Amino acid sequence: HVVIEVETSSSDPGTSSELASVTVSYTNMDTHETDRLSGTAKVQFSESDKAVEDSLNKSVLADVVALVSSENNRLATKYLDDGDLELSRLTLIKNADYLRSNSVLLPAARGRLSRYATGNTLQAELLDGATSNKAKGAIAARKSGRALQNEIEQQQRAVPSK
């Protein structure tokens, strides 16, 4: 995945703008030859909430939600490592809520996002009653978090053949 967040200045409704062009060369592991993929990212401006909703690429949005949640989980792990167990727990709970609310908006990714939410909730529960980051529950929460982060960050989707 490559995720780039951009902010654009507003523009008149109905106008569009190209944000980026990308070309990637890579060695195809099946053919051992160099393949190339190209693509562009464009935006169209609208005042219509429905037009905006209809234009969402929900598959990409689900991947972004998962990546943002992984960064939130990584932050919770940092708090845990720093010894702030309560802030770590609160960050995990907030992240689980973020994942649950987005799973409702993204039905095709509901199972995956709900599973990630459950993982964050379980991590937070492991921290309940822990008094240090060396406690058994804290160590289990850290391991669980790292596993979840790795799972999210290693997600791969096949690119359709031409």
Side-chain angles (χ1 to χ4, degrees), residues 50 85 91:
K50 180 170 177 12
L85 279 63
T91 302

Short mmCIF file of all heavy atoms in Angstrom, two decimals, residues 50 85 91:
data_model
loop_
_atom_site.label_atom_id
_atom_site.label_comp_id
_atom_site.label_asym_id
_atom_site.label_seq_id
_atom_site.Cartn_x
_atom_site.Cartn_y
_atom_site.Cartn_z
N LYS A 50 -24.72 13.39 -1.53
CA LYS A 50 -24.93 12.11 -2.21
C LYS A 50 -23.85 11.85 -3.25
O LYS A 50 -23.32 10.74 -3.35
CB LYS A 50 -26.31 12.06 -2.85
CG LYS A 50 -26.57 10.73 -3.57
CD LYS A 50 -27.99 10.58 -4.00
CE LYS A 50 -28.30 9.33 -4.77
NZ LYS A 50 -27.36 8.27 -4.82
N LEU A 85 -0.12 3.17 31.35
CA LEU A 85 -1.08 2.11 31.04
C LEU A 85 -2.49 2.64 30.83
O LEU A 85 -3.22 2.15 29.97
CB LEU A 85 -1.09 1.05 32.16
CG LEU A 85 0.02 0.00 32.09
CD1 LEU A 85 1.39 0.60 32.23
CD2 LEU A 85 -0.22 -1.08 33.09
N THR A 91 -6.57 4.82 24.65
CA THR A 91 -6.28 4.89 23.21
C THR A 91 -6.83 3.65 22.50
O THR A 91 -7.40 3.75 21.41
CB THR A 91 -4.77 5.04 22.97
OG1 THR A 91 -4.32 6.23 23.63
CG2 THR A 91 -4.44 5.13 21.48
#
